[in-house]
Amino acid sequence: MDMKAATFTLDVKGLELPEDVRQEISLALNNTLMRKLGEINLTGKTNGGAAATGGNGLFGKVIRIDGGDWSRLINRHDFGPIFQRTLDNKQVLGAGIEQINQTQVGK
Amino acid sequence: MNSRPKNGPLTTESRPLCPSAPLREGSQLLGLVRQEGGIRLLAEPLPVTADFVEAATATGPAEERFRFVNKCVEKGCTKWGAGGCSVVASALERLQATQAAILPSCGIRPSCRWFMQEGASACHICPQVTYLNYE
């Protein structure tokens, strides 16, 4: 699978718009991007197929571990934002996807 | 093994971050599960939106395809034990971490529970772990 950095630049030459309209469009583009990201499936498996493998917890070269059920959380401060950042166009479009190299040897 | 993190600083956040959290309130996108195996990590975690959640959960558990980061809830997690997070400890027992000198690029390392607990070894096996959602 040919993978490249997810860089998106949209430059509409000659079009001038008020700030509020540009922000509105920017937000709409972000929403579209996030929705499409949510639809991504790079696993090569049909949805639900991975869960059906079960067994030894190994899925391809991925070790599948129960990340832990969260329980006994007594207040919302246990959740909540982990970074005080605003979700703006720059941040979303600037978040690159980086190829990493890894080798797994099962014990 | 100590019950408290031994590696890395506790940074601006009072809670260390769990690099393999379920998709819950406050979770951010950390990576994508890839077909060849392993996780394709984002250079920085990405706040998820309602649109993302709706799309990601439409056809099954989002954790099958994505990795999320959220606060480590310590004793609020069933995987928390006397030695800290048992998830990374289990992964290190089952997998052989690569010995590459360069760690995978990561946007949460200074605040990561796994790194604090296990050091660089955790970073090497981290991309090999996906969250198994029983819900």
Side-chain angles (χ1 to χ4, degrees):
Chain A
M1 188 182 300
D2 184 27
M3 307 292 282
K4 294 182 178 178
T7 302
F8 305 99
T9 302
L10 187 60
D11 184 6
V12 185
K13 296 186 182 300
L15 180 62
E16 295 184 352
L17 297 170
E19 176 65 20
D20 59 337
V21 175
R22 284 188 283 124
Q23 287 186 354
E24 185 177 345
I25 292 174
S26 177
L27 181 60
L29 290 172
N30 273 324
N31 289 338
T32 300
L33 172 62
M34 292 307 295
R35 174 169 292 279
K36 297 306 293 182
L37 278 179
E39 294 173 356
I40 288 176
N41 185 351
L42 299 181
T43 66
K45 303 282 186 180
T46 57
N47 289 304
T53 58
N56 60 6
L58 288 171
F59 166 50
K61 292 182 179 178
V62 180
I63 183 172
R64 304 176 69 239
I65 294 178
D66 174 12
D69 295 326
W70 287 0
S71 60
R72 304 189 297 277
L73 300 179
I74 58 176
N75 62 58
R76 291 173 62 85
H77 293 295
D78 287 329
F79 303 101
I82 57 177
F83 297 111
Q84 297 299 320
R85 293 176 176 172
T86 56
L87 180 62
D88 57 25
N89 190 50
K90 179 180 178 182
Q91 181 186 18
V92 172
L93 298 184
I97 298 177
E98 181 168 346
Q99 175 74 47
I100 57 173
N101 296 318
Q102 58 85 28
T103 302
Q104 172 194 335
V105 179
K107 282 188 175 179
Chain B
M1 182 183 299
N2 296 328
S3 61
R4 300 300 300 174
K6 60 186 178 186
N7 294 307
L10 284 174
T11 54
T12 55
E13 294 293 328
S14 59
R15 285 180 182 275
L17 300 178
C18 169
S20 186
L23 178 55
R24 298 280 175 80
E25 180 180 355
S27 292
Q28 298 193 15
L29 180 63
L30 182 63
L32 288 75
V33 180
R34 55 182 183 170
Q35 183 175 6
E36 314 87 75
I39 307 296
R40 189 174 296 272
L41 293 173
L42 300 180
E44 291 187 22
L46 190 64
V48 298
T49 65
D51 284 332
F52 175 89
V53 174
E54 182 180 343
T57 59
T59 53
E63 294 86 354
E64 298 282 349
R65 294 179 286 130
F66 303 100
R67 272 268 297 276
F68 298 99
V69 56
N70 206 325
K71 294 176 181 176
C72 171
V73 296
E74 299 187 352
K75 294 180 180 177
C77 175
T78 57
K79 293 298 182 182
W80 184 259
C85 177
S86 67
V87 174
V88 64
S90 174
L92 284 170
E93 288 176 0
R94 299 172 64 178
L95 299 173
Q96 179 176 328
T98 56
Q99 300 301 314
I102 300 176
L103 299 180
S105 178
C106 175
I108 68 165
R109 183 168 295 124
S111 303
C112 178
R113 165 67 67 193
W114 291 5
F115 177 70
M116 292 175 178
Q117 182 175 313
E118 304 290 347
S121 295
C123 301
H124 288 305
I125 59 97
C126 174
Q128 302 171 37
V129 176
T130 60
Y131 184 93
L132 180 56
N133 192 331
Y134 289 118
E135 294 180 355

